[in-house]
Amino acid sequence: MTPSILYLHGLNSSPASLKASLLLRAMQQLGLAAQLRVPALHHHPRQAVAQLDALISELGRPVLVGSSLGGYYATYLAERHGLPALLINPAVRPHLRFEGYLGPQKNYYNDETWELTADHLAALAELDVATLQDPARYQVWLQTADETLDYRDAQAYYLASALRIQSGGDHGFQGFAERLPMLFAFAGIPRHLWQDIDFSALN
């Protein structure tokens, strides 16, 4: 059976983000769009996790692909459900970093406004994973010029996992389209479906 993929976007992002859009177009090109879910996550962590738990139940055993805060959620869910996860510039312990950002927020894509509160931070803290049960379940992509998160935090936290650290780049992760074959290989999508495709043309 062809694996399914559940993509988790970051804070104030959406299914319209560049990486999510590129992944959707690539899966459509492979004829596998039905195997991909890219939910619009609620801004509150408890509601976002409830959304994701429901999708995991629907899909069975999806491969999680999480970007930024979505990488933090993906780590929690991978541990909870025993799932593989590919993380892209993931946030590490975001509840310790957001205190200076409490107050009004705006989604970059749909102009939704909401309030980041102490309850959001408490909910994020509830999802913190002290130690990975099986680091081999994870592949972690980092770019050293990430302007939002210090890549060294994720490098240290996921040290026992498969790390792919690229010099330069940014928080959005430059060159994502060219890396799609690595994502598909990790997800277990049959090689013959994607090996001859130049995904850089999707940019």
Side-chain angles (χ1 to χ4, degrees):
M1 191 170 88
T2 303
S4 56
I5 295 174
L6 177 56
Y7 182 88
L8 292 65
H9 66 69
L11 181 71
N12 285 326
S13 189
S14 88
S17 69
L18 179 59
K19 291 189 295 296
S21 299
L22 288 170
L23 180 56
L24 175 58
R25 284 154 58 193
M27 290 289 278
Q28 288 171 336
Q29 192 164 350
L30 301 183
L32 298 177
Q35 303 300 112
L36 174 67
R37 298 291 185 279
V38 187
L41 296 176
H42 195 278
H43 61 75
H44 197 289
R46 294 190 190 100
Q47 295 192 47
V49 168
Q51 288 177 266
L52 293 164
D53 275 334
L55 285 168
I56 289 169
S57 295
E58 173 194 331
L59 294 170
R61 293 191 54 78
V63 175
L64 305 176
V65 177
S67 172
S68 190
L69 184 62
Y72 180 71
Y73 289 158
T75 300
Y76 168 78
L77 292 165
E79 294 296 303
R80 178 170 169 171
H81 296 285
L83 299 173
L86 191 155
L87 313 177
I88 304 163
N89 287 334
V92 175
R93 301 192 172 94
H95 50 288
L96 302 180
R97 305 183 180 281
F98 284 167
E99 288 187 358
Y101 297 92
L102 294 179
Q105 302 285 320
K106 187 172 184 177
N107 188 288
Y108 303 130
Y109 293 88
N110 62 17
D111 289 334
E112 175 196 13
T113 57
W114 57 280
E115 192 88 4
L116 179 63
T117 68
D119 190 57
H120 285 79
L121 303 190
L124 286 171
E126 294 165 5
L127 306 179
D128 188 48
V129 174
T131 305
L132 300 178
Q133 296 175 37
D134 183 6
R137 277 204 300 263
Y138 298 86
Q139 187 173 121
V140 184
W141 298 0
L142 304 172
Q143 290 189 332
T144 63
D146 185 335
E147 72 282 5
T148 302
L149 302 172
D150 188 334
Y151 81 94
R152 293 170 294 188
D153 293 335
Q155 181 183 23
Y157 181 79
Y158 297 100
L159 190 60
S161 301
L163 288 167
R164 304 285 185 268
I165 302 176
Q166 185 177 16
S167 181
D170 58 23
H171 187 60
F173 202 89
Q174 293 293 313
F176 178 71
E178 290 81 359
R179 294 278 192 105
L180 284 168
M182 290 176 59
L183 187 158
F184 294 144
F186 177 81
I189 292 175
R191 184 179 180 87
H192 71 271
L193 293 178
W194 49 261
Q195 64 181 353
D196 296 325
I197 298 176
D198 177 12
F199 292 105
S200 65
L202 294 175
N203 282 316

